[in-house]
Amino acid sequence: MDFVGTWKLDRSENYEKLLEKMGVDEEKRKLAAHDNMKLKIKQNGKQFSVHESSVFRTIDINFTVTELLQYSLADGLELVGAWKLNGDIMEGEFTRKDNKKVLKTTREIVGGELVQTNLYEGVEAKRIFKRE
């Protein structure tokens, strides 16, 4: 597993539908579809640092695998949960603070690309990143 590096969003699959299911308004969904997301990931053992930048915001997220993490999405939606490593896959399970519904996220390297899969209330979306 080699998540370390800088990753630029290449394409998304079903992302607007996921955001709609999560209650994001139409204007923000349209903007999010073209957010030019970039991730810069560093790792030291079980500690990760993710510098996330997009047209919406720039944020640094530091976490240790299996430890509770509080996180806000670009639209202000607050989540709490944790990442874990399952072989070569990062798995995250995050609960919304407002309605207690769960967002599941995986990150894995497939064919040299970083594939992030999100699952929320039966709607699955993928965001595929290429290494810069």
Side-chain angles (χ1 to χ4, degrees):
M1 150 194 70
D2 189 17
F3 296 105
V4 174
T6 302
W7 301 88
K8 184 173 179 12
L9 181 66
D10 182 60
R11 62 195 183 280
S12 297
E13 299 171 4
N14 211 38
Y15 190 58
E16 281 188 58
K17 288 288 185 193
L18 176 84
L19 296 177
E20 181 179 11
K21 186 70 173 178
M22 292 180 72
V24 176
D25 69 53
E26 185 176 3
E27 182 179 339
K28 288 180 182 175
R29 289 194 312 265
K30 297 292 182 193
L31 289 171
H34 305 285
D35 65 359
N36 295 317
M37 175 72 73
K38 198 180 270 192
L39 303 173
K40 185 173 185 177
I41 301 173
K42 296 178 182 177
Q43 180 183 2
N44 182 6
K46 291 186 175 189
Q47 295 180 330
F48 283 82
S49 172
V50 180
H51 178 80
E52 181 181 293
S53 61
S54 72
V55 297
F56 290 113
R57 68 177 181 172
T58 299
I59 187 171
D60 289 307
I61 306 154
N62 299 300
F63 63 92
T64 302
V65 173
T66 71
E67 290 185 10
L68 210 56
L69 165 71
Q70 295 197 37
Y71 178 72
S72 294
L73 299 178
D75 68 348
L77 179 70
E78 294 185 348
L79 306 165
V80 63
W83 287 100
K84 66 179 182 178
L85 293 174
N86 185 2
D88 291 341
I89 301 172
M90 288 181 67
E91 297 177 341
E93 187 167 307
F94 302 93
T95 303
R96 290 177 57 156
K97 287 187 174 182
D98 62 344
N99 65 13
K100 306 298 183 220
K101 293 182 179 179
V102 174
L103 170 68
K104 292 185 178 184
T105 302
T106 60
R107 287 181 176 157
E108 61 185 316
I109 308 299
V110 179
E113 296 178 319
L114 172 61
V115 178
Q116 177 174 298
T117 304
N118 298 297
L119 179 63
Y120 181 79
E121 293 285 290
V123 178
E124 183 177 280
K126 292 183 187 275
R127 301 201 93 192
I128 297 102
F129 298 81
K130 289 192 179 288
R131 194 183 297 269
E132 281 199 325

